[in-house]
Amino acid sequence: MLDTLGIDQPLWAELSSMEEIDAFIAKAGFPILIRPSYVLSGAAMNVCYSKEQMIEFLDLAAKVSKEHPVVVSEFLQGAKEIEFDAVAMNGEVVEYAISEHIEFAGVHSGDATLVFPAQKIYIETANRVKKISKKIAKELNISGPFNIQFLAKNNDVKVIECNLRASRSFPFVSKVLKRNFIETATRIMLDAPYSKPDKSAFDIDWIGVKASQFSFARLHKADPVLGVDMSSTGEVGCIGDDFNEALLSAMIAVGNTVPEKNILVSSGAAKSKVELLEPCRLLSQKGYTLYGTAGTARFLNDNGIPTTTVSWPDEPGELNIMDMFSNHAFDLVVNIPKDHSKRELTNGYKIRRAAIDHNIPLITNARLAGAFIDAFCTLKEEDIQIKSWQEYKFI
């Protein structure tokens, strides 16, 4: 349908033999996303960066055969994920909301931190999202609620999927926008009278952030890292006068605490090291003491940010990271998974698990870590307003 409408989507194919998968990889290249034929909340979905990983994950997903084909698609790195929640009547969009994930695509939408209205997408991107959504609604002749997920890189917009139902972001955007999308959708489905929003109703002076709640402390030995399969067990929506206030409220509401002094940073690959450079500089300027694993500490020190080097879990040394965890030396842990080598996975897992087991706030996504650091360095916890939902009024 998308091809007929001239709408872009990531390359994908439903495949049932290794030869077909190899041919697809020759065209799309790595990384790829593998998903079984029947999937709920991203279960058994995996991103593969190499042939070895792909073979390992295919065994998990299903035996590749005619009875159990897998869907393989190209995986775009560094792409923003955008949600379009809307209600339509006979294929015409009645009301809509465009929100964005803080994390780049690759984190399940149920685990991602959602911002509404979207703050960091180009106007041109928002216009393309609206145009594409209207085309899809018309083609499917939708009467009722629907949600479309998009990938955006620069101004290039691709469709991930369209769900002909209410999404988990429906109640969130309804609350922030003060428009009950479900009431409108129900009225349309019952052929009852409904009101259309005034154009200016989309122009609001406050921001909502939806953060996810995780229960890794109760899941013995689970690796607390986010991926394409959903891990969260709940979520909290918060409203603020600006992005920092809304984000800080939401992060605290799901159990994070603002660090007092010591922060451990293990910043993963070169890209996430660069992404965390300015947030770490801000932490240093605000008087926080930074600790880092070897590569991270070297990178930060080389860039003029004083950082104490700690030893990996499998290294002997005075400042062994596991001993420091036992002594409750850290107030916040930022651990960005780097690659899938055995040592990296083992050490990274031990650090992440130790943070959870010692009840220390842990962030495993560079973009979310940067946003959280910016928020608590800009705004003190006591500066968050105690303000009821009714007090956020249209001017």
Side-chain angles (χ1 to χ4, degrees):
M1 184 187 89
L2 292 181
D3 291 345
T4 308
L5 295 173
I7 295 169
D8 203 8
Q9 59 183 316
L11 278 175
W12 67 276
E14 192 177 31
L15 308 171
S16 51
S17 74
M18 271 322 271
E19 292 74 30
E20 289 176 344
I21 290 173
D22 285 337
F24 179 84
I25 290 164
K27 187 166 60 172
F30 284 106
I32 55 167
L33 182 68
I34 287 181
R35 61 187 290 162
S37 310
Y38 304 101
V39 67
L40 190 65
S41 290
M45 269 174 71
N46 279 292
V47 180
C48 308
Y49 293 86
S50 67
K51 186 82 182 264
E52 296 75 44
Q53 263 190 315
M54 181 190 78
I55 291 163
E56 183 189 327
F57 288 141
L58 280 173
D59 286 343
L60 282 177
K63 290 193 167 53
V64 184
S65 68
K66 292 289 178 203
E67 292 81 51
H68 301 286
V70 292
V71 174
V72 182
S73 59
E74 66 173 328
F75 179 76
L76 295 177
Q77 296 184 90
K80 279 182 179 287
E81 193 162 333
I82 297 166
E83 305 253 358
F84 185 90
D85 288 297
V87 179
M89 169 80 169
N90 298 330
E92 295 295 323
V93 174
V94 171
E95 59 184 354
Y96 68 89
I98 297 174
S99 47
E100 66 176 329
H101 296 186
I102 290 179
E103 300 87 349
F104 278 143
V107 173
H108 191 284
S109 60
D111 291 349
T113 315
L114 197 68
V115 185
F116 174 69
Q119 298 296 297
K120 293 185 177 177
I121 62 173
Y122 302 118
I123 292 171
E124 174 66 20
T125 298
N127 287 339
R128 287 186 189 183
V129 162
K130 273 188 277 189
K131 277 180 192 164
I132 291 168
S133 302
K134 283 177 180 174
K135 275 188 185 177
I136 291 171
K138 202 171 195 65
E139 185 68 19
L140 293 172
N141 195 27
I142 300 170
S143 286
F146 68 101
N147 161 275
I148 305 178
Q149 292 172 350
F150 291 91
L151 289 171
K153 202 166 180 181
N154 303 322
N155 267 327
D156 196 16
V157 175
K158 295 176 193 282
V159 171
I160 301 174
E161 61 184 19
C162 172
N163 297 300
L164 291 179
R165 53 161 172 77
S167 69
R168 67 174 54 79
S169 41
F170 251 68
F172 169 66
V173 297
S174 294
K175 206 74 174 169
V176 178
L177 202 51
K178 295 183 179 259
R179 286 279 312 178
N180 192 333
F181 278 39
I182 287 300
E183 184 181 342
T184 309
T186 308
R187 286 178 173 278
I188 284 169
M189 291 189 287
L190 293 174
D191 209 14
Y194 64 92
S195 64
K196 271 192 166 185
D198 177 33
K199 263 276 196 263
S200 63
F202 298 120
D203 183 22
I204 57 175
D205 298 318
W206 55 87
I207 287 170
V209 169
K210 177 179 79 67
S212 294
Q213 174 89 51
F214 299 92
S215 300
F216 288 120
R218 298 181 187 191
L219 301 172
H220 188 52
K221 292 188 176 177
D223 189 352
V225 68
L226 305 187
V228 288
D229 56 337
M230 185 172 154
S231 305
S232 64
T233 49
E235 54 201 359
V236 173
C238 290
I239 297 175
D241 282 351
D242 60 25
F243 172 65
N244 281 335
E245 187 179 23
L247 177 70
L248 193 55
S249 297
M251 292 295 279
I252 291 168
V254 294
N256 293 289
T257 50
V258 173
E260 288 178 18
K261 188 68 182 162
N262 299 338
I263 296 174
L264 171 67
V265 183
S266 179
S267 55
K271 195 169 187 295
S272 49
K273 276 184 171 55
V274 171
E275 203 160 344
L276 285 168
L277 181 62
E278 290 313 311
C280 286
R281 197 182 304 283
L282 185 57
L283 287 172
S284 184
Q285 288 165 357
K286 290 287 178 180
Y288 285 99
T289 303
L290 294 181
Y291 293 86
T293 46
T296 300
R298 193 182 316 116
F299 178 77
L300 293 177
N301 282 312
D302 287 349
N303 283 279
I305 302 166
T307 308
T308 305
T309 308
V310 297
S311 306
W312 282 97
D314 64 357
E315 288 174 343
E318 197 183 322
L319 290 177
N320 180 277
I321 212 163
M322 302 312 278
D323 296 339
M324 295 183 77
F325 272 118
S326 299
N327 296 326
H328 294 278
F330 311 119
D331 301 324
L332 171 68
V333 175
V334 176
N335 175 274
I336 315 301
K338 183 179 182 180
D339 56 37
H340 299 272
S341 64
K342 196 162 176 51
R343 182 170 187 239
E344 188 69 40
L345 282 174
T346 307
N347 277 315
Y349 166 73
K350 282 180 180 171
I351 293 170
R352 291 188 291 275
R353 195 62 234 180
I356 294 297
D357 293 340
H358 290 90
N359 202 24
I360 300 165
L362 167 73
I363 299 181
T364 60
N365 182 278
R367 282 174 65 81
L368 180 59
F372 181 46
I373 290 166
D374 198 41
F376 70 70
C377 285
T378 306
L379 198 67
K380 289 190 178 74
E381 203 172 331
E382 55 268 27
D383 294 335
I384 297 172
Q385 302 170 85
I386 307 299
K387 200 169 167 182
S388 73
W389 179 70
Q390 288 84 352
E391 286 176 83
Y392 291 95
K393 290 191 175 81
F394 292 103
I395 294 171

